[in-house]
Every structure is written in structure tokens, then in C-alpha cells.
Amino acid sequence: MAASLRIEPLSPEEIASIYEKCVQVLSTYGVKVDHEGALDELAAAGALVDRETQQVRFSPADIEAALAAAPRELVAKGGKEEHDLPLPHPEGSVYTSTCIQSMLYHDPDSGSFVDVTQESFAEWCRLVELLPNIDSCAIQTPMDVPAETADVHALNIQLQNTSKPLNILAYCLETVPYFYELLLARAGSEEALRERPLVYIDPTSLSPLVYKAMDLETILYSVRYGVPVAPSSLVLAGGTGPTTPAGAALLVAVEVLAMVVMTQLLKPGHPTIACGYNYTLDLATGNALMGCPETLLAQAAAAQFMKTAFGLPVLTSSLQTDSYVSDGQTMISKSLQPTMCCMAGADIIYGAGRLGGSTLASPAQLVIDDRLVALERRCVAGVQVDDDTLAVDEILGAGVGGHYIKRKHTVRHCREAVRPDLFVAEPLDMWQAGGGKDLYERAVEKYRGLRADLRPLDLPDDVRREMDAIVRRADQALVP
């Protein structure tokens, strides 16, 4: 059986050095935790807590114990078992997640940039449900609902329109309880939610080394209900983190490790995914660059390090681009960076459908990314070498000047080739006869064809009513 292709941005000695520095930072300096209840629980669990400064430190022994307790394997579960994601991938491959928190939407019909709405996000979730190479659906931000409860509205839309695992995060402290009310309503009971959590949720650092009340509230609720935690670092190299790829990777590792340790202190054995959402600050424009080589190198190094040193499943924000259109720049970024991160150890590549940095979602690009991921998965899978694939008997059987078109070996293996419909080449005359469409035009055509099959999930009416009522309660409680 073929092993997946791997690269090693870091040597074993460099991994050991980075781990030593992670322990040094967390044990001697620590992190700031802005949540009084979490400070109480962490202190009771053995963390070293300074109440005045809200600084929390962890002993080397507690760090080691936390990493030993964190499961090396888990299953990210959605609404249907057929969409479950065993982590790591049983064949050494990779999973995908769509882009998170998008507020802008590239409308393929008008070609304009418009606000994400409840309707467009529902369509997006239904599109995710149909695309075979998009494995997880991340939360977005509908702009036609109150800002105070946009995340509650968005989760309700996700839960009613796709059965794939959901990648979510809360937008403020006050909405966290409503997230879990929605999950309980969708699952049916606490026991059912523990068995099938439906989501993995991102508490995030406020780089450098700060954790907001919202993120600790997320961890506290997650360990209470058995929802997998995906702690993520938001380092911006040159802004909120060191400008060098090595320094950025180190800070990512420190910030993620702090949340892993906190999660395991609160509940040993809780399922956890290590996530890096790190980018690079462009000092010329102030933009966060997602497709530049420095971001690629920092993410690949962080992926390899967290996979090796922490032993956890890893997500990287690598299926990204800085371009606002589905152009050559986008295809270069979305080919090179995720493939490198996969080969460095990432289990989930995030950002399918993303254009324009952290702001924009495109359904046509989502269709392209679905096909692109099929190619990336095949490349990362490597070359299987055995007696059958070497085909010595076939070479001898065909002989000098022979051919292989009708041989059983060809028939047996010919369907293994990945042939995404958007990328398959045609003879020039056929391509011209079909309108001479480029990749984006073919993707828009495919998207419009899929629209006819987009449907909400078939949920019981009483479940829908309960979930909608939870959203209304959130609006009444949180919207001025």
C-alpha cells in the first residue's frame, strides 16, 4: 500500500527545540485568560493562576500530561454517519472545510460583490451537501440579521441545510449558550449530542498570548457537552507575531498548546484538533497575506510540528488566496499551499470557496475547489509500488511494438485516474464548438446546474420550530 507523500520543513532537532521553547513560554511566562470562572476551574485543576494579572502558567508536567491525555484519533461527526470524518484520514489523505465568517459573496449571476444573506448562506450549505470533495461546512456571517446574533442565525442555517460536519465559532460571549441550545435541539438530547456532536468549534487566541472570555466560555461549554474543540491561533506575522516563518510557527504552536492544555486540564481525554489560521502582514498595504510564501512556510512548519510534537489531528488555513477573482493567482495559491501543508501533516485544509483573503466567499470558486481537491488528494497519495502496479507481466505480454488498450490490467486500473470534469481537456475544435469556455465559466455553468438539486434537510417540523424559536429568543435577549 502506498504511503502518502510527505515533506519535512523541520528536522527532528528543530522540532525538539521548538517544543522546548513552547514549554518554556507556557511554564515561565504563561498566557492571559480573561474569564473569571475559567480561572477558578484552571486553578482547581492545577494551573498556576495570578488573579491580579489573569496570567496562567502550566508546569512542564501538566503540559506533558495534557498531551498524553488528548486523543490521537477522533471522528468529526455531522448529521449523517456517511459524512463522518475519521481523523487522521484512514488512507493518509486529507479532508476539506469551507471558508469561515465570510461577509461578502461573489454573485456568479451578476459578477458583483454583495453581502452574504440568509438565503445565500442556506444555498451555500446545500451546495456543500452535494459536492463530494467538500467535507465540512464552516460558519459564515449573514448580513441581513442583527449583528448581535448573526452567528446564532448562521448556525441555525447550517444545521437545517447540510448534514456534513460543521466548523463553527461564536462571535461573542453572550451567544455561546444559544449555540449549544441549537445543537441540543438538533440532536434531540444531551446523550445524542455527545454521541453525534454535529460540529467542531474554534476557540481562538487573541494574538499574542491572550484568550478572550468568549473563547474560554466556548471551551467550558464544549467539555460539558462533549463537542470537539479545535483551538486555533490567529498569528499575523509581522503584526501580532514574529515576522519570520519560524517565529510565527513557534507562536502558533504556543497559542494552540495553551488551549490544548486548558482543555485537557478541564476534561482529560476531550477530543481536540490543533488549528493554525496564521497569515503574514504586508507592511506596504496593511493587508493580511494568505497566499504568500512566508505564510505557506509558516503554516507547513506549524502543521508538521503540531502533528509530530502534539500528536493531534491538524487543520491549516491553507486553501486560500489573496485574489478577489478566480484567476491564475488563485489557482497557484490554492494548489501550492494546501498541497504543501497536506504533505507536512495537515489533516484538514480549510478555505474552500474563499476569495479575497478573509472577506469573500464564491460559490463558483467552491465548485472549482471541490474539483481541485480531488487532484491534490491524488498527488498527495503518492505512487503505489507492488507487483501489480509495476506490471512487468503486462510489459512482457504486450511485447515489442504492442499496446495496452485492451489488456485486462488497463481495464482494471483505468478508472482510478482522477478526471475532474472542469479540468478535462478536449481537442481544440470540440472546445471551440462548446463556446471556448474558460475554467471560471465552466464552474459557473456547473454551479447553475447544481442549483436545481439544492434542498434543505428533511428535518421534523417540531425540530425546525424549536431551533427557530431559539434564534428568536437570542434576538429578544441580545438585540437592543
Side-chain angles (χ1 to χ4, degrees):
M1 181 176 180
S4 295
L5 290 176
R6 290 290 178 256
I7 61 169
E8 296 181 347
L10 305 170
S11 69
E13 294 76 19
E14 289 166 339
I15 289 173
S17 175
I18 293 173
Y19 180 74
E20 179 183 348
K21 289 172 175 59
C22 286
V23 174
Q24 177 186 350
V25 171
L26 293 181
S27 62
T28 63
Y29 183 79
V31 298
K32 183 177 180 181
V33 174
D34 185 18
H35 191 297
E36 292 300 324
L39 289 173
D40 292 339
E41 294 198 35
L42 290 170
L48 306 172
V49 176
D50 185 322
R51 300 285 182 176
E52 184 175 346
T53 64
Q54 297 182 315
Q55 289 290 110
V56 179
R57 293 181 291 119
F58 310 100
S59 70
D62 279 342
I63 294 172
E64 291 286 340
L67 290 176
R72 271 38 183 172
E73 299 178 353
L74 62 96
V75 179
K77 296 182 178 180
K80 293 182 180 178
E81 185 176 355
E82 66 193 72
H83 296 315
D84 290 353
L85 310 179
L87 293 165
H89 195 291
E91 297 176 1
S93 189
V94 66
Y95 300 109
T96 58
S97 170
T98 62
C99 49
I100 210 163
Q101 282 187 302
S102 302
M103 295 174 284
L104 288 174
Y105 195 78
H106 188 249
D107 182 1
D109 293 328
S110 66
S112 59
F113 301 104
V114 298
D115 284 344
V116 171
T117 64
Q118 296 176 84
E119 181 181 358
S120 67
F121 186 41
E123 180 188 270
W124 178 276
C125 295
R126 296 167 191 171
L127 187 60
V128 168
E129 187 77 2
L130 292 185
L131 294 175
N133 297 298
I134 305 300
D135 303 301
S136 175
C137 181
I139 197 169
Q140 291 189 16
T141 308
M143 303 296 285
D144 57 345
V145 299
E148 295 84 357
T149 55
D151 52 349
V152 180
H153 284 266
L155 177 56
N156 188 37
I157 292 169
Q158 288 175 284
L159 289 169
Q160 296 197 34
N161 289 283
T162 180
S163 61
K164 292 187 177 180
L166 307 179
N167 181 193
I168 65 171
L169 78 165
Y171 295 177
C172 64
L173 172 68
E174 292 77 14
T175 58
V176 174
Y178 294 100
F179 269 34
Y180 289 85
E181 285 191 46
L182 282 170
L183 292 173
L184 287 167
R186 175 70 171 82
S189 67
E190 284 193 31
E191 181 180 357
L193 182 60
R194 291 181 185 280
E195 173 59 31
R196 182 159 292 281
L198 303 171
V199 305
Y200 52 96
I201 189 165
D202 294 359
T204 60
S205 60
L206 180 61
S207 302
L209 304 175
V210 175
Y211 299 90
K212 307 179 296 300
M214 173 184 72
D215 302 304
L216 269 298
E217 189 82 350
T218 294
I219 292 175
L220 291 171
Y221 267 87
S222 297
V223 299
R224 182 185 309 169
Y225 290 108
V227 171
V229 171
S232 57
S233 169
L234 302 179
V235 167
L236 181 62
T240 61
T243 192
T244 55
L250 170 60
L251 186 53
V252 168
V254 169
E255 293 187 342
V256 171
L257 181 57
M259 285 183 279
V260 172
V261 174
M262 287 189 278
T263 299
Q264 298 304 316
L265 284 175
L266 294 170
K267 187 176 181 182
H270 190 76
T272 307
I273 303 168
C275 303
Y277 287 82
N278 53 297
Y279 308 115
T280 301
L281 177 64
D282 180 7
L283 295 175
T285 65
N287 285 341
L289 298 179
M290 303 189 173
C292 69
E294 289 72 26
T295 294
L296 184 159
L297 290 169
Q299 288 201 356
Q304 182 201 2
F305 173 77
M306 293 191 293
K307 187 76 169 180
T308 304
F310 301 168
L312 297 176
V314 171
L315 177 152
T316 62
S317 177
S318 51
L319 199 59
Q320 301 270 44
T321 179
D322 297 305
S323 174
Y324 293 95
V325 293
S326 301
D327 59 4
Q329 177 183 340
T330 289
M331 294 307 294
I332 290 171
S333 296
K334 285 176 173 277
S335 299
L336 183 59
Q337 189 168 339
T339 302
M340 291 279 284
C341 287
C342 293
M343 291 193 291
D347 298 284
I348 303 174
I349 51 174
Y350 150 93
R354 174 74 85 204
L355 290 176
S358 61
T359 60
L360 180 61
S362 163
Q365 185 62 48
L366 183 62
V367 173
I368 294 172
D369 289 345
D370 175 75
R371 273 58 175 180
L372 178 60
V373 167
L375 298 177
E376 290 171 341
R377 283 173 167 159
R378 180 63 189 92
C379 292
V380 170
V383 178
Q384 182 171 334
V385 178
D386 55 34
D387 288 345
D388 180 50
T389 60
L390 287 172
V392 173
D393 290 342
E394 297 299 313
I395 294 171
L396 297 177
V400 176
H403 69 79
Y404 299 82
I405 293 176
K406 294 184 178 180
R407 297 194 68 85
K408 292 181 179 179
H409 185 270
T410 300
V411 174
R412 191 162 64 248
H413 289 283
C414 66
R415 292 175 180 83
E416 297 170 4
V418 176
R419 300 179 74 248
D421 50 5
L422 296 183
F423 296 90
V424 174
E426 300 171 313
L428 176 60
D429 57 347
M430 291 180 62
W431 175 72
Q432 290 174 326
K437 299 182 181 71
D438 64 16
L439 175 62
Y440 181 75
E441 291 171 319
R442 294 194 296 273
V444 171
E445 190 174 77
K446 176 64 67 173
Y447 158 70
R448 289 171 177 160
L450 290 169
R451 270 180 171 173
D453 297 321
L454 301 183
R455 301 285 186 276
L457 297 180
D458 185 17
L459 298 178
D461 290 341
D462 59 333
V463 172
R464 289 189 185 277
R465 284 195 296 269
E466 183 179 359
M467 293 168 65
D468 292 341
I470 292 168
V471 175
R472 288 195 296 272
R473 287 203 304 273
D475 285 342
Q476 292 166 1
L478 302 180
V479 179

